[in-house]
């Protein structure tokens, strides 16, 4: 029996990148409490993770659709922080694509380096 197209797309997306968690799988012990409330747990994984050789226009459209899901998610900030701390190399997490997360991480590293180099800056940042 052949799988419905949406299920085969989800399976293909998960198989393309082995580190991608399937949002429909049950929670693991090491998952944070925010996972249970994530809106994306009810959506297809293929929306958040690119199939191989996806055309640019299709990728941009898919990413925008995923970001719309993230925008209405009550745990978007926790999800984003998870993806930045891991760091998650693929997919849309917390409303950010992998490329956008790399930019955020680079800015955070640059800011941390600036704070380390500026004498006394750490005490001001810690107080504020």
């Amino acid at each position: 029996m052949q799988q419905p197209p949406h299920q085969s797309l989800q399976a293909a997306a998960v198989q393309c990148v082995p580190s991608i968690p399937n949002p429909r799988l049950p929670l693991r012990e090491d998952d944070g409490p925010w996972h249970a409330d994530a809106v994306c747990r009810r959506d297809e994984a293929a929306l958040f993770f690119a199939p191989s050789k996806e055309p640019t226009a299709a990728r941009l459209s898919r990413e925008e659709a995923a970001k719309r899901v993230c925008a209405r998610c009550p745990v978007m900030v926790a999800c984003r922080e998870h993806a930045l701390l891991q760091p998650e190399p693929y997919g849309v997490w917390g409303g950010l694509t992998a490329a956008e997360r790399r930019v955020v991480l680079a800015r955070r590293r640059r800011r941390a380096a600036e704070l380390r180099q500026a004498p006394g800056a750490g005490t001001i940042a810690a107080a504020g």
Side-chain angles (χ1 to χ4, degrees), residues 2-9:
Q2 189 175 6
Q3 290 182 330
H6 68 280
Q7 288 179 346
S8 60
L9 281 175

Side-chain angles (χ1 to χ4, degrees), residues 21-37:
N22 182 337
R24 294 179 182 264
L25 291 177
L27 295 176
R28 300 179 316 239
E29 281 185 35
D30 60 338
D31 285 340
W34 62 270
H35 284 87
D37 296 327

Side-chain angles (χ1 to χ4, degrees), residues 27-105:
L27 295 176
R28 300 179 316 239
E29 281 185 35
D30 60 338
D31 285 340
W34 62 270
H35 284 87
D37 296 327
V39 173
C40 64
R41 290 186 65 79
R42 296 179 289 277
D43 290 305
E44 295 295 326
L47 182 62
F48 298 92
F49 299 100
S52 62
K53 300 179 183 175
E54 181 179 33
T56 302
R59 176 182 54 82
L60 293 173
S61 176
R62 180 188 48 72
E63 287 174 346
E64 285 306 313
K67 288 178 177 187
R68 285 192 298 274
V69 171
C70 292
R72 68 177 197 266
C73 184
V75 295
M76 182 181 75
V77 174
C79 177
R80 179 179 295 173
E81 284 305 309
H82 161 83
L84 291 167
L85 292 173
Q86 283 305 312
E88 293 288 351
Y90 305 105
V92 175
W93 289 78
L96 297 178
T97 64
E100 291 166 337
R101 289 192 304 276
R102 285 190 295 272
V103 169
V104 170
L105 289 171

